[in-house]
Amino acid sequence: MKLYSDEELAEILDQEVFHQISEAADRLGLECYVVGGYVRDIFLERPSNDIDVVVVGSGIAVAEELKRMVGRKAHLSVFRNFGTAQVKFRQKGIEYEVEFVGARKESYSHDSRKPVVEDGTLEDDQNRRDFTINAMAICLNRDRFGELVDPFNGLADLEDGIIATPLEPGITFSDDPLRMMRCIRFATQLNFVIEDETFEALERMADRIKIVSGERIKDELNKIMLSPLPSRGFVDLQRSGLLNIIMPELAALDIVEQRNGRAHKNNFYHTLEVLDNVARHSDNLWLRWAALMHDIGKTKSKRWDPAIGWTFHNHNIIGAKMVPQIFRRLMLPMDAKMKYVQKLVDLHMRPIAIADDEVTDSAVRRLMNDAGEDIDDLMTLCEADITSKNEVRKKLFLENFRMVREKLADLKEKDYVRLLQPVIDGNEIMEMFHLKPSREVGVLKQYLKDAVLDNRVENEREPLMQLLMEKARQMKLI
């Protein structure tokens, strides 16, 4: 980050948009400040065109004045019930969204996130902000243009990499429990540390998260997932007790059981290592969700076998069945994205099984058939899943994965869809043997498909017809 004097801040804000806001406020005789994330990001040297402005008085009036000044190219949206307004416009090739709100103070009831709002001072408005680093304001009025107002030492916390609340954290989190998720999200995104008293309040107030809608929790989770090192957020969610409320299936993986001197690994921290590995290679949110949930079935599948130790047989199948329940509860999309995550959770053991043995053409063809267009993402997930501390074993797996990828690339080059789908389909089978849709048709289709996938015959009409007739005779269909 970089520290700036008030004079330097005035130079940074020496843009037409801020001078226009300044003039609009001065015309109306109102104090006006740019606040929140825009101010924070100036010091973090992160560009932003989303500007939040607090007016001591009517924010709507200043927004309307700005609209008049900018002219027809500006779009004004007014939300009188909330006392806010938004002005969108393009200026010198830049798209701006300026949100205006009147300075206010808020009070909350225990069972709702919706505050009772009253007009207030700038100090009142800064008091209600979530974190000190988001409570800084820079004056836009001409006579104080560029003056930083930082009553909670947010700049110092920004410099030290600390997330702390302006008021006593128990009050801040009790008033709006979503701030607990935002606290962890900001710490994760910015690679900051949550201040001790603030973290203790997270632990103490965790149960309050239950009054927050799934929609808002989902939004914060997705932002944590898309951060450079998402594991940080999930560790804090687990340590604070929030994860056990939001996603108990994941929290339940944080255990190591030992029997007869044999312990299994901590599957929670393994999962987070896999998630970070995926995050290093892909920004795909849903691939990251698949990484987070790939071992979610291990708690239900865990068994002790005196002969071989701890087992997690079929945890992939159990986990795949859990995906829709978790998506529904977290209000994640119940569409192709959920199906994608479910498929990757279901299939994530397959490449590992192939790589742990001889890499055969048949196994790779079957994998390609089942994964379809998601095969590359599946391979990324599986490579990320190799977290063994045994370097020799790890090297062997990764070398075998390289061979799997080579065979997959060869199949793709040869048009794998055409290669793997038998040229004789179900409709032709029904017509040939005078069958209606039935189990027999399915058996015959699968027989031909297996022959193609196992490369026992070429995917050509004549050899497949010969096989089909032989199987039909066995089933006494001819």
Side-chain angles (χ1 to χ4, degrees), residues 222-286:
N222 282 340
K223 289 172 183 176
I224 290 170
M225 289 288 276
L226 288 171
S227 63
L229 203 67
S231 63
R232 285 180 57 96
F234 285 97
V235 169
D236 282 344
L237 286 169
Q238 176 73 336
R239 287 175 55 226
S240 65
L242 284 163
L243 191 64
N244 194 48
I245 300 168
I246 295 165
M247 202 174 172
E249 302 89 347
L250 182 61
L253 295 176
D254 188 9
I255 188 171
V256 175
E257 284 194 65
Q258 188 167 342
R259 199 174 288 189
N260 296 347
R262 300 171 78 173
H264 62 78
K265 65 187 172 188
N266 184 308
N267 287 303
F268 175 72
Y269 287 99
H270 162 73
T271 292
L272 297 188
E273 192 174 348
V274 175
L275 175 60
D276 284 348
N277 287 343
V278 166
R280 288 186 190 98
H281 293 95
S282 175
D283 292 329
N284 181 341
L285 173 62
W286 306 108

Side-chain angles (χ1 to χ4, degrees), residues 18-228:
F18 290 111
H19 287 299
Q20 287 176 320
I21 296 169
S22 174
E23 186 178 343
D26 283 343
R27 282 183 186 180
L28 298 170
L30 298 172
E31 287 181 50
C32 181
Y33 302 83
V34 58
V35 297
Y38 192 91
V39 177
R40 178 196 69 224
D41 287 346
I42 287 176
F43 294 101
L44 291 176
E45 299 181 273
R46 302 196 311 183
S48 175
N49 297 323
D50 295 338
I51 302 166
D52 290 324
V53 174
V54 162
V55 177
V56 183
S58 172
I60 293 174
V62 178
E64 290 171 338
E65 184 64 24
L66 177 64
K67 162 71 169 94
R68 279 193 289 273
M69 292 170 59
V70 174
R72 293 175 59 186
K73 62 182 179 180
H75 177 73
L76 171 68
S77 301
V78 175
F79 310 96
R80 295 197 183 278
N81 288 347
F82 300 97
T84 64
Q86 180 191 71
V87 183
K88 287 186 182 181
F89 58 97
R90 185 177 182 83
Q91 197 170 76
K92 296 182 179 176
I94 300 174
E95 295 283 349
Y96 289 105
E97 287 189 14
V98 188
E99 300 273 355
F100 291 87
V101 64
R104 61 194 190 187
K105 53 185 176 182
E106 299 174 342
S107 57
Y108 292 81
S109 63
H110 188 73
D111 59 350
S112 173
R113 288 184 57 239
K114 294 180 180 177
V116 176
V117 177
E118 302 174 66
D119 291 342
T121 62
L122 175 65
E123 183 183 1
D124 291 328
D125 202 87
Q126 289 176 299
N127 284 342
R128 72 178 183 84
R129 298 277 161 175
D130 50 9
F131 307 111
T132 59
I133 63 171
N134 294 334
M136 297 181 287
I138 301 174
C139 187
L140 295 179
N141 296 98
R142 184 182 300 173
D143 58 346
R144 294 170 53 210
F145 193 83
E147 180 186 311
L148 178 67
V149 183
D150 182 18
F152 304 109
N153 295 315
L155 196 54
D157 286 346
L158 204 57
E159 192 174 12
D160 294 338
I162 289 172
I163 302 293
T165 57
L167 304 179
E168 196 279 309
I171 295 171
T172 298
F173 293 149
S174 181
D175 282 352
D176 183 356
L178 181 65
R179 289 170 177 163
M180 295 189 288
M181 294 293 298
R182 286 169 57 82
C183 177
I184 291 172
R185 188 253 291 181
F186 277 120
T188 307
Q189 287 179 323
L190 299 174
N191 196 23
F192 280 17
V193 174
I194 300 170
E195 181 257 344
D196 287 346
E197 188 182 350
T198 302
F199 197 88
E200 286 167 11
L202 284 179
E203 296 176 289
R204 194 169 65 250
M205 309 296 296
D207 206 52
R208 287 280 286 152
I209 201 67
K210 292 176 181 176
I211 73 165
V212 179
S213 73
E215 188 75 25
R216 300 305 299 273
I217 290 172
K218 171 205 70 176
D219 290 343
E220 295 300 324
L221 279 176
N222 282 340
K223 289 172 183 176
I224 290 170
M225 289 288 276
L226 288 171
S227 63

Side-chain angles (χ1 to χ4, degrees), residues 366 429 441-451 453 456:
R366 286 183 173 277
I429 289 170
V441 176
V443 169
L444 290 171
K445 279 175 62 181
Q446 191 61 47
Y447 184 71
L448 295 184
K449 189 163 195 174
D450 288 343
L453 291 173
R456 286 189 278 124

